[in-house]
Amino acid sequence: MRAHRGRKVAGLATATVLVATAFVSGAGVTSGGVDGNVIELYSDGLVVTSDGVATVAPGTTQRYLPGTRVPDEPAAPAARRAALDERAAAQRAWLDAGTVPGVGTPFEDMARGALADLHALVGDDGAVPAALHERWGYAWPRDNAFVAAALARTGHVDDAVRVLGFLARVQADDGSFEARYTLDAAGPPDGRAPQTDSTGWVLWALGEVLEAAPEGPATVPDGGAQAGPPTRTDVALSLRGLLERATDHALALTDGGRRLPPASPDYWEVREAVTTLGTAAPLLAGLEAAADAWTLLAEPDRARAASDAASGLRERVEESFGARGYPRHVTGGARDAATAFVLPPFVDEPLVGAETAWRASVAPMRRPAGGLAPGGSWRPDGISWTPQTTLYALTAASLGDRATAEHWLAWVDAHRTSSGAIPEKVLADGSPSAVAPLAWSNANVLLALDALDDLP
């Protein structure tokens, strides 16, 4: 088990139920870039009220009660203001129950906003929509995995376990996951092909949650036990079924580490004819995390099987992808953001040559506004993507490269919406576009700041 970093953890209130209505009506705001590509900004952020969670119309600068995503309505009737104050107090209590990373840095406000947004997005049953929009209003296992990791690392282990519990409920008997699910856990909303990388991401997230969970019950001065978040062993036992199914599936996909997994869609969400690094690397990360989890559960045979498979898969990835400079496809070509997946915090140790490839990937991925596209061969539309840009901040922080991490975080901070939300995309002219907030990007920011907090 990798070293536990000892974050403050405590129990917390349940999340607000999502509602589909817009908080302020209005049409989408459009902007253009130097490449002529235009994508609307569909929402400027979200608000939390006693009615649920709703979006803020694009072009609207929403003001909030301090430290929350509850709207500030000084002219509202007294009963309405009292209800909003109560909601704000509940969200502040949730924030205070954990740890806000980046306190005292220029990124504290972004961190508090990202945490408040995740708190609003996580449903009572653990389902997390990618964003509050009809096209994004589904639970992607990958996005949910990163949210679980971020919640755990910021002291909200109960919430993280709830997110993983949702993933356990939708997981197929063979351990696989669909590309995305409806929020009621009824199944996939369409016929998209399953995504193999999800199995790896869920295992990796489980490992992150186990690291963040306390080793044992807190004690009080009289020697008694104090109620608190679930212990590391509690979490592992409660999610044993998820762990077992995902481990077995990862072992089957890689023949116990003796081969690369078959071709599958990954975070690009397109069909692939050959295996991508974006599929192989998450499975490596997941198998390493699974070995730690089985060790915690005192099941040495399972731990050894996962560890041996991880070692074998690491060799296969280094021999195939590494020999070509870690391109997106095993057959070669341009690099993509998956170069980050063969580095910490995803794998225990960097793969041979991975850091060099990761740093070299930036130039072809950089876009006019200064952020990154998903890959060097991505269409030349001038659009920066915050999931990949924040991913590079997280990787830099995990490698101890504070300057690079802060560079990417500062870029994201400067391109938030007028209401302070992190958008999915940024156009070539610097305008935020698509949905805001995006859960995956919020999670990456929090994980990056948490890693920076651990640096000397």
Side-chain angles (χ1 to χ4, degrees), residues 323-424:
R324 295 177 172 86
Y326 295 99
R328 169 168 174 75
H329 294 103
V330 69
T331 50
R335 298 183 178 97
D336 73 346
T339 56
F341 302 157
V342 285
L343 293 167
F346 307 111
V347 293
D348 293 340
E349 297 291 337
L351 274 67
V352 174
E355 183 175 347
T356 298
W358 172 70
R359 293 189 185 278
S361 72
V362 171
M365 290 169 58
R366 195 185 294 271
R367 291 300 181 256
L372 301 174
S377 61
W378 193 260
R379 54 186 174 271
D381 55 11
I383 294 176
S384 302
W385 288 66
T386 65
Q388 284 67 53
T389 306
T390 54
L391 175 68
Y392 274 45
L394 169 56
T395 301
S398 300
L399 290 172
D401 185 350
R402 180 180 293 276
T404 298
E406 290 183 345
H407 165 79
W408 293 123
L409 288 169
W411 183 86
V412 174
D413 194 24
H415 291 86
R416 289 191 286 161
T417 68
S418 60
S419 298
I422 299 172
E424 181 190 46

Side-chain angles (χ1 to χ4, degrees), residues 41-425:
L41 178 64
Y42 303 123
S43 60
D44 206 83
L46 57 77
V47 290
V48 179
T49 70
S50 56
D51 297 323
V53 182
T55 57
V56 175
T60 302
T61 300
Q62 179 61 50
R63 299 195 179 279
Y64 300 100
L65 293 175
T68 76
R69 285 300 194 233
V70 178
D72 184 8
E73 300 179 7
R80 167 76 172 179
R81 293 200 309 274
L84 293 174
D85 287 341
E86 181 179 358
R87 184 66 56 178
Q91 192 163 75
R92 291 191 197 101
W94 182 83
L95 289 168
D96 291 343
T99 302
V100 178
V103 169
T105 74
F107 309 117
E108 180 177 349
D109 181 72
M110 180 168 60
R112 290 187 181 278
L115 271 170
D117 283 339
L118 289 188
H119 178 241
L121 288 171
V122 178
D124 290 337
D125 65 350
V128 187
L132 291 185
H133 185 277
E134 59 183 5
R135 288 168 53 194
W136 284 261
Y138 304 103
W140 274 260
R142 174 195 59 246
D143 298 48
N144 279 229
F146 276 81
V147 169
L151 289 170
R153 287 298 187 189
T154 54
H156 304 293
V157 175
D158 283 327
D159 299 84
V161 171
R162 199 164 75 248
V163 173
L164 292 179
F166 171 82
L167 294 173
R169 290 192 296 277
V170 298
Q171 184 184 31
D173 290 342
D174 68 357
S176 64
F177 289 94
E178 299 291 342
R180 56 185 186 167
Y181 296 89
T182 57
L183 299 181
D184 60 3
D190 51 31
R192 292 189 184 192
Q195 291 183 201
T196 298
D197 62 330
S198 295
T199 297
W201 286 132
V202 171
L203 285 170
W204 170 77
L206 176 57
E208 291 293 299
V209 174
L210 291 175
E211 279 191 42
E215 293 187 23
T219 58
V220 292
D222 64 3
Q226 176 176 303
T231 68
R232 199 171 292 175
T233 302
D234 291 336
V235 173
L237 288 172
S238 69
L239 294 168
R240 190 187 185 286
L242 174 72
L243 171 63
E244 181 174 0
R245 292 187 296 272
T247 301
D248 287 348
H249 191 52
L251 292 172
L253 287 166
T254 63
D255 190 20
R258 287 180 284 273
R259 65 174 174 84
L260 294 175
S264 166
D266 60 13
Y267 73 100
W268 279 36
E269 300 190 18
V270 296
R271 291 188 178 275
E272 298 289 351
V274 297
T275 302
T276 64
L277 187 60
T279 292
L283 285 171
L284 170 58
L287 284 167
E288 289 186 346
D292 288 343
W294 288 116
T295 298
L296 174 65
L297 288 173
E299 298 199 33
D301 290 343
R302 283 191 168 275
R304 188 177 306 108
S307 179
D308 289 348
S311 296
L313 183 56
R314 175 180 283 262
E315 292 179 9
R316 303 292 87 72
V317 173
E318 289 178 339
E319 291 168 354
S320 53
F321 289 95
R324 295 177 172 86
Y326 295 99
R328 169 168 174 75
H329 294 103
V330 69
T331 50
R335 298 183 178 97
D336 73 346
T339 56
F341 302 157
V342 285
L343 293 167
F346 307 111
V347 293
D348 293 340
E349 297 291 337
L351 274 67
V352 174
E355 183 175 347
T356 298
W358 172 70
R359 293 189 185 278
S361 72
V362 171
M365 290 169 58
R366 195 185 294 271
R367 291 300 181 256
L372 301 174
S377 61
W378 193 260
R379 54 186 174 271
D381 55 11
I383 294 176
S384 302
W385 288 66
T386 65
Q388 284 67 53
T389 306
T390 54
L391 175 68
Y392 274 45
L394 169 56
T395 301
S398 300
L399 290 172
D401 185 350
R402 180 180 293 276
T404 298
E406 290 183 345
H407 165 79
W408 293 123
L409 288 169
W411 183 86
V412 174
D413 194 24
H415 291 86
R416 289 191 286 161
T417 68
S418 60
S419 298
I422 299 172
E424 181 190 46
K425 302 180 181 74

